[in-house]
Amino acid sequence: MGDLGVPTWHMGSQDIDKAAVKNDFGWGSSNFHKMGRDKIRLIRDFTKSGVDVLISDIDVAWLRDPIPFFLRYPKADILVSTDMLRSETNINPDAQGPNMVDGEGLEFHICHAPSNIGIMWFRSTVGSQQLTEEWVTRIEKDDKIWDQNAFNDLKGLDGGCQYQPDGSGLGSGYGGEGGMG
């Protein structure tokens, strides 16, 4: 593609054997963790270069373009899915109702459940750049730490995971340095 003049980048892994990418990595395996580190470095590098990033695991099915939904939340540096087993998008209808569009909105409280990094939207902002830089630093220091756990640790850093009672679903994370939803 590069030879044809199409802008490209090489997303090769720093540590994964090329033959290994032809097989299932297996959740929790060494290659699985290496792939996760590559994903986080990629997010960091793109946001530092001024590009907003949507990351989606391979097992996510998009039924329509999600970008208009994300753009409803211009104050969010990062929007991320959760591992919540029940929806809280309408747990407080009086507060959340004005923030809903076509029956859709964010979970009431970003801190109620662990984040699931299978779906993430990062704006190229100072807040997301700082978080991703520290995220990469943490996961590269310890090859046993799971990238998702490291994200959740950063989200709640210094008690920084706070929600706004206005029903918007937005709040702050990362020690109050990043807007999240």
Side-chain angles (χ1 to χ4, degrees):
M1 303 254 324
D3 292 342
L4 297 172
V6 177
T8 59
W9 77 97
H10 176 69
M11 193 191 153
S13 175
Q14 293 183 1
D15 301 309
I16 299 174
D17 177 26
K18 290 183 182 187
V21 299
K22 296 178 182 174
N23 301 309
D24 179 11
F25 287 168
W27 189 92
S29 70
S30 175
N31 281 336
F32 175 86
H33 288 290
K34 289 175 184 176
M35 177 202 53
R37 283 161 174 66
D38 289 339
K39 176 173 76 171
I40 307 317
R41 281 191 291 270
L42 184 68
I43 295 167
R44 177 202 58 196
D45 294 348
F46 274 123
T47 58
K48 284 171 75 175
S49 69
V51 176
D52 295 341
V53 177
L54 170 62
I55 288 289
S56 172
D57 279 356
I58 196 165
D59 61 351
V60 172
W62 294 99
L63 302 178
R64 64 177 183 257
D65 181 0
I67 304 300
F69 179 83
F70 299 144
L71 294 178
R72 294 179 193 165
Y73 304 96
K75 293 181 181 178
D77 297 303
I78 300 167
L79 296 173
V80 61
S81 58
T82 71
D83 274 341
M84 191 162 314
L85 299 177
R86 64 181 171 84
S87 173
E88 289 190 351
T89 57
N90 203 20
I91 199 168
N92 183 344
D94 291 337
Q96 289 172 279
N99 296 293
M100 303 287 270
V101 176
D102 296 330
E104 296 178 333
L106 296 176
E107 298 293 340
F108 185 68
H109 193 323
I110 182 68
C111 307
H112 273 184
S115 292
N116 180 313
I117 63 171
I119 303 173
M120 297 181 290
W121 168 257
F122 290 82
R123 285 202 169 75
S124 177
T125 61
V126 171
S128 70
Q129 291 166 8
Q130 289 174 339
L131 184 141
T132 56
E133 188 65 47
E134 186 166 347
W135 194 4
V136 168
T137 299
R138 286 182 179 214
I139 61 178
E140 287 183 345
K141 279 184 185 176
D142 181 356
D143 64 356
K144 302 277 190 264
I145 191 169
W146 184 24
D147 54 356
Q148 183 164 296
N149 287 346
F151 179 84
N152 280 296
D153 290 346
L154 288 169
K155 179 177 83 170
L157 186 69
D158 297 329
C161 192
Q162 304 291 324
Y163 81 104
Q164 297 297 320
D166 65 1
S168 67
L170 295 175
S172 64
Y174 186 53
E177 298 297 319
M180 293 188 177

